[in-house]
Amino acid sequence: MSTTPRARVPAARRAAAGVLLAVPFAVYLAVPSYAREDPRIAGFPFFYWWQLVWVVLTAACIGGSHLLTRTRARPEPPAPPAGSAGPEGPAGSERGEEE
Amino acid sequence: MKDVNGVELGIFVFFFAAVTVVGFAAARWRRGQTLMHLDEWGLGGRSFGTFVTWFLLGGDLYSAYTFVAVPAAVFAGGAMGFWSVPYGAIAYPIVFLIGPRLWSVAQRHGYVTAADFVRGRYGSRALGLAVALTGILAMMPYIALQLVGIQAVLTVMGVTGSGLAKDLPLFIAFALLAAYTYTSGLRAPALIAFVKDALIYIVIIVAVVYIPTRLGGWGSVFDDAGAALAKPNPATGKPSGSLLTTDMTHWAYGTLALGSSLALFIYPHSVTGALAAGRREVIKRNAALLPAYSLMLGLLALLGYMALAHPGVSAAVRKAGNPQLAVPELFDQVFPDWFAGVAFAAIGVGALVPAAIMSIAASNLFTRNVYTAFVRPDATPEEETRVSQLVSLLVKLGALVFVLGFDKSLAINLQLLGGIWVVQTFPAIAIGVYTRWMHRWALLAGWAAGMVYGTVTAYGTSSPTQEHFGAPIADMPFIGRTGYIALTAFVLNMLVAVVLTVALRLLNVPGGDDETEADDYTADAPERLAAPEDPGRSLTGRAA
């Protein structure tokens, strides 16, 4: 319940996030490793489909890194309507104004 | 040359006119109290959410660069032209690392440009000036690239002539762009970006689904293109390219991708697009979402192979001697006239939106870091905005110089030339958001070394069609391979900056005042009303 806006992210998660961000560089800069014709997929030589697939995987790496390093768990849920305490009432009462 | 295609031109002009109306109307969109403040004119009120920011930052990758220059490079050189795909991917981990921190510190201190940040971080107006002038300089060839794209479309539609008449349509398009950028500021390209992306998505999807079926499927597109590339080029007697990178070109491929990815986010227009975001989270999300644009970029690049595989198109492009015509010719010959018109409109509008953002970014830099910093320190916000408006016109004139004065045989080289310069500001900006260790004079010296080395080396390259500034790649010292000049210059820049930082620190040379604090770099926006496109956002969050 500290009031500092940024809780520290555990070192292990930060390291994992860093690795995720480094992976696309390792993949793409190893040019000779994918300068190959075969195997083809749907007519695309390996050189082309491999790089296009990794565009999507790069997005996934960044998204994963984002999830690992988020300091606020998630946007605060809207306040429950008055009177309708959730099914797990006691847990709900724990929730204060601050995270 | 050939007759004007009335249907194509009619549809093209229709979309252009519609976009112009939207551009002028944008001044009223989500209007703040006054447009005469740089936060409003130059950053759209710093209020854009994930959705608008996606379109605005995406304008960066989806420009004439994507539609005309990249396919032209693939058409002309084969696999070597495909480096923009790794570039478009690995740029985003870098955006993810520096974007949110830059956004946070900028919104805490009211920075409008990256040079504002550098000046505040290092307490050095000179370093801010260096970053600003580099940004302005680098913007011009990039804007010029957009004009080359519009020119290519006009040529294929048959709008050609000689002398002044040849460039007149281009000037008209440009004057319209200048006019609504002047009145509406960043809101104009942000709003037009919706129209532009809708058009572009339709065209891309149709193109990558329909055209290969006309050419016998993707397999034969690659086979035919590979065969065409293997034929000796009459000018050099060597094959013009290959389907795969070779031992000779691996390094060039990798360094072009890496060097360009360092440049992507510190280009002034990217910074402008990012700082216009309303929340820190918006930048992080976009870093993960924007690679989707690069996927499309990759498919578009392959339009270059489709043009090679289509006998009529490749013959027409070779006859004209201008690979930039590859995609417009392909659309012209494969699509019915009305759809070719839509596609050309997509390219034309797709060139104008980035050109508008770029000219706004360059003029923000001039106003904040040259005019206010050195000429009129007490300029009012109104005055700043007025200066920015005027400079946005001048920047476009500067771009015309690049269009008229530079070799357009491979337009992508214009963007790569800008990259050589802008990458030299990477240490001050991107390393600066993490550490203050670097000394301001060391950064300045490193910048100067990189700029001089990069410019001189680029000047010394020649191509069959041009004596100077002929290529973005040159021999890399110590490695002995050919690589992107920007990266070599960047390494030199860093070496100078690090060595001098150590020396200056040993000599206790004052490092200047840092007006930022550690928690500025992780701060979020003060709580305010939810932006319209984020209706779900809680209004009762914690106080800032």
Side-chain angles (χ1 to χ4, degrees), chain B residues 51-250:
Chain B
F51 192 62
V52 179
T53 303
W54 148 274
F55 284 104
L56 204 55
L57 277 177
D60 201 31
L61 271 176
Y62 259 159
S63 65
Y65 173 76
T66 327
F67 246 116
V68 174
V70 171
V74 169
F75 179 90
M80 261 312 288
F82 208 65
W83 62 266
S84 49
V85 170
Y87 148 56
I90 61 181
Y92 289 105
I94 299 175
V95 173
F96 180 79
L97 285 173
I98 58 181
R101 292 177 73 86
L102 186 62
W103 181 90
S104 288
V105 71
Q107 83 96 30
R108 266 282 169 91
H109 291 272
Y111 300 145
V112 177
T113 66
D116 280 350
F117 159 71
V118 168
R119 192 190 53 196
R121 175 67 146 166
Y122 295 97
S124 170
R125 286 193 306 169
L127 194 56
L129 180 70
V131 170
L133 292 179
T134 312
I136 295 169
L137 179 66
M139 276 305 44
M140 289 181 189
Y142 211 157
I143 297 174
L145 172 62
Q146 311 305 325
L147 299 184
V148 172
I150 298 176
Q151 238 174 359
V153 171
L154 290 171
T155 307
V156 170
M157 282 192 296
V159 186
T160 50
S162 55
L164 190 63
K166 181 166 174 281
D167 291 322
L168 193 61
L170 188 65
F171 289 155
I172 294 172
F174 221 44
L176 286 173
L177 165 74
Y180 60 70
T181 311
Y182 184 95
T183 58
S184 305
L186 193 62
R187 284 183 166 78
L191 199 53
I192 297 173
F194 292 113
V195 183
K196 166 196 161 229
D197 278 18
L199 279 175
I200 283 179
Y201 276 119
I202 294 168
V203 172
I204 293 175
I205 290 166
V206 171
V208 301
V209 172
Y210 172 71
I211 300 177
T213 64
R214 287 278 306 269
L215 297 170
W218 281 101
S220 60
V221 167
F222 281 108
D223 292 338
D224 294 349
L229 285 168
K231 275 186 219 149
N233 180 331
T236 60
K238 284 186 287 188
S240 49
S242 61
L243 274 189
L244 304 174
T245 52
T246 64
D247 286 344
M248 293 298 294
T249 53
H250 292 324

Side-chain angles (χ1 to χ4, degrees), chain A residues 6 21 24-25 28-29 31-32 34-37 40 42-45 47-48 51-52 55 58-59 62 65-66 72 99, chain B residues 86 89-90 92-93 96-97 218-219 222-223 243-245 250 253-254 281 284 287-288 291 295 302 305 522 524 542:
Chain A
R6 182 181 160 88
L21 292 181
F25 289 89
Y28 276 117
L29 295 181
V31 184
Y34 55 80
R36 290 190 279 135
E37 172 96 28
R40 284 196 175 206
F44 283 62
F47 182 78
Y48 297 92
Q51 294 190 66
L52 290 173
V55 170
T58 299
I62 299 170
S65 178
H66 178 34
R72 281 197 286 180
E99 287 164 28
Chain B
I90 61 181
Y92 289 105
F96 180 79
L97 285 173
W218 281 101
F222 281 108
D223 292 338
L243 274 189
L244 304 174
T245 52
H250 292 324
Y253 191 88
E281 175 81 6
K284 292 197 157 193
L295 189 62
L302 297 176
Y305 283 156
T522 52
D524 209 335
R542 82 174 87 191

